Amino acid sequence: MHRPDLPPLRPEHAPASLDDVSPDDASTDSAGPDDLSAPETPQVTVTSETRTTATSTPVKIALLAVGLLLIGLNLRIGVASVGPLLGPIREDLRVSSSTVSLLTTIPVVAFGAFAFATPRLTRAIGMHRLLGVAMLALGAGIALRLQPSLASLFAGTLIVGAAIAVGNVLMPAVIKNDFAHRAGLMMGLYSTTLFVGAALGSGLTVPLQSLTGAHWRTTLALWAIPALVAFVVWLPQTLRAPGHQPSGHDVADAPSTAGEPSLRALLTDRVALAVTALMGTQSLAYYATLTWVPTLLQDHGMSAHDAGLMLSYSSFPGILASLVTPALARRMRPTWLPIAVSVALCVLAYLGLAIAPVSLAYLWMTLLGLGQGAAISLALSYLVWRSPDTHHTGQVSTMAQGFGYLFAGLGPVGLGALHTLTHGWGVPLLGLGALMILQLVVGIPASRDRHVLAAPGD
């Protein structure tokens, strides 16, 4: 269930293998989509001032790679660590389920909103410096949760979401710029760190609280430490001279905007709309379950420790599904079959959680991880496969993840509201099942082998 989705890390993503990239994409060095949630950006303008691995020493290359992977590790921890503690937070603050669910809703909405703002920030200060600023902001937002006020808790959560959104957008561009000859490998490693970060956040938060005996605020604030470590390792990259501006007011390590299709044109294209809707539905389901599955299991008698571990466990089948699904999808006919399989796996998991949530928890979380891992990998793959070149991929990705995450923000608060109204989990799980029908409906046109903005008959 954990993935980089985020767009880029929900997992908010998972990469497609090099064999999964279409011939059109291969010519533009597209290495497949990323996770958890990071949009593919327009083609990067590489100048003589832009440092590449071709002219760097092995030590500098290793430091750059480690810095990138540490940043990826942090792009899901700040959100995934909240879910296992929603119960204690709700009781301590004496708020409703729908109110406390805003702690996971706000970051998802920020993923979408700040996806649209990131390109302008990138052109202002450059990719590498902006990534460093994002890590500082992430650490500050997590640490702000220490303040004993509801306003500080939500303000810190908003900062966390904004920082992760910037990282989601920038990571693929930096990888393409600095590891052009190893983009496939680096994107795979990056996507893996998104899964690992989500698993660490959901699986270790409750044990960490038990080990330290700390208040839930202190426990959440401890996750600022990995963000600060990532910033320190990344600091040499923020000191890189951006050089003179290649065009207009863009710094040297900012992406070029030449050749991009307009967002207005994409908003009227059926293929782009289908890909966006698929991204939104699978993200909504993922973040809703990420938020509430631990509470659901606890309400049925499972300990908070075990509930967090179950959520963490689901990331392992999710990793497997996200890695193999793109390769299988390129070979399966009809093209909508992989979407149908992912939907069926999730529906079975929801049904099981409604009937026997604790006794067969491992089975349901396995099915859920497989279904959601397949869904996110397909959604991210379609960003590449339905685009004729990297310029289109960047815009389609921004549209899909921007609007998709804004829609996905309804998931945690919506599921929490249904739980509050019905005082049970049957109706919320039924709602997720109905969402899977919509996911199948939009996934069918998204799966068709056709590019966005293609002329009729192409």
Side-chain angles (χ1 to χ4, degrees):
M1 185 166 68
H2 295 290
R3 81 291 161 99
D5 127 318
L6 320 68
L9 309 201
R10 141 110 108 232
E12 223 143 307
H13 351 338
S17 67
L18 294 179
D19 293 334
D20 301 326
V21 181
S22 66
D24 292 319
D25 300 320
S27 63
T28 58
D29 189 36
S30 178
D34 62 283
D35 134 182
L36 244 130
S37 13
E40 184 83 359
T41 55
Q43 184 175 357
V44 174
T45 302
V46 181
T47 70
S48 60
E49 290 81 12
T50 304
R51 183 177 302 176
T52 64
T53 56
T55 58
S56 300
T57 65
V59 173
K60 292 180 179 179
I61 294 173
L63 184 62
L64 176 62
V66 171
L68 284 171
L69 298 179
L70 284 176
I71 290 173
L73 192 69
N74 281 276
L75 293 184
R76 293 297 176 267
I77 289 178
V79 178
S81 59
V82 175
L85 293 179
L86 283 182
I89 294 173
R90 182 179 56 186
E91 294 175 2
D92 186 35
L93 299 179
R94 297 181 180 180
V95 295
S96 66
S97 296
S98 57
T99 299
V100 76
S101 67
L102 291 174
L103 293 175
T104 51
T105 300
I106 290 174
V108 179
V109 174
F111 291 172
F114 283 87
F116 297 109
T118 301
R120 179 174 295 181
L121 295 173
T122 303
R123 288 190 288 271
I125 66 175
M127 296 183 294
H128 299 88
R129 290 180 178 177
L130 187 55
L131 265 182
V133 172
M135 284 299 99
L136 273 182
L138 179 60
I142 295 175
L144 187 58
R145 293 167 171 170
L146 269 173
Q147 295 298 314
S149 72
L150 191 63
S152 296
L153 179 63
F154 283 112
T157 300
L158 178 61
I159 295 173
V160 166
I164 293 174
V166 171
N168 286 343
V169 174
L170 290 179
M171 286 292 285
V174 175
I175 288 174
K176 277 190 161 189
N177 185 64
D178 293 337
F179 292 92
H181 61 303
R182 291 290 184 270
L185 172 63
M186 286 300 298
M187 287 297 290
L189 292 174
Y190 163 54
S191 297
T192 300
T193 64
L194 293 175
F195 278 102
V196 172
L200 290 175
S202 62
L204 295 184
T205 297
V206 172
L208 186 62
Q209 183 183 33
S210 300
L211 180 65
T212 61
H215 190 267
W216 62 262
R217 290 184 183 275
T218 305
T219 304
L220 289 179
L222 288 174
W223 290 112
I225 296 174
L228 296 178
V229 171
F231 171 76
V232 171
V233 176
W234 188 252
L235 187 59
Q237 314 307 324
T238 68
L239 302 178
R240 289 164 56 161
H244 49 260
Q245 299 163 348
S247 61
H249 298 286
D250 298 356
V251 295
D253 62 346
S256 169
T257 59
E260 294 178 353
S262 69
L263 185 61
R264 179 176 299 179
L266 290 175
L267 287 171
T268 62
D269 182 79
R270 292 184 179 181
V271 176
L273 290 173
V275 171
T276 299
L278 178 61
M279 178 65 72
T281 53
Q282 64 83 25
S283 294
L284 189 153
Y286 169 73
Y287 282 103
T289 51
L290 175 71
T291 302
W292 289 113
V293 161
T295 304
L296 181 155
L297 294 174
Q298 291 174 55
D299 286 351
H300 285 86
M302 185 177 289
S303 69
H305 177 273
D306 290 342
L309 288 179
M310 290 307 306
L311 189 63
S312 180
Y313 161 77
S314 67
S315 66
F316 295 103
I319 291 173
L320 174 63
S322 63
L323 289 176
V324 304
T325 297
L328 294 176
R330 295 307 293 257
R331 296 166 175 81
M332 294 179 70
R333 292 296 181 272
T335 57
W336 51 262
L337 187 56
I339 286 288
V341 171
S342 70
V343 166
L345 288 169
C346 290
V347 169
L348 288 174
Y350 298 146
L351 181 62
L353 287 171
I355 297 174
V358 176
S359 59
L360 296 175
Y362 274 103
L363 174 60
W364 311 136
M365 299 309 287
T366 298
L367 294 177
L368 190 60
L370 290 172
Q372 292 191 332
I376 182 57
S377 65
L378 289 169
L380 291 171
S381 295
Y382 293 150
L383 298 180
V384 176
W385 295 343
R386 303 297 166 254
S387 303
D389 53 47
T390 53
H391 296 294
H392 286 73
T393 300
Q395 287 295 82
V396 171
S397 185
T398 297
M399 171 180 164
Q401 299 206 49
F403 290 113
Y405 276 126
L406 290 175
F407 176 68
L410 300 174
V413 68
L415 209 68
L418 286 176
H419 175 58
T420 299
L421 290 173
T422 62
H423 304 288
W425 290 105
V427 173
L429 289 170
L430 182 63
L432 288 174
L435 179 68
M436 290 300 98
I437 298 176
L438 177 60
Q439 185 169 309
L440 178 62
V441 169
V442 300
I444 291 174
S447 69
R448 291 172 182 158
D449 192 10
R450 178 180 174 85
H451 286 153
V452 298
L453 302 178
D458 285 358

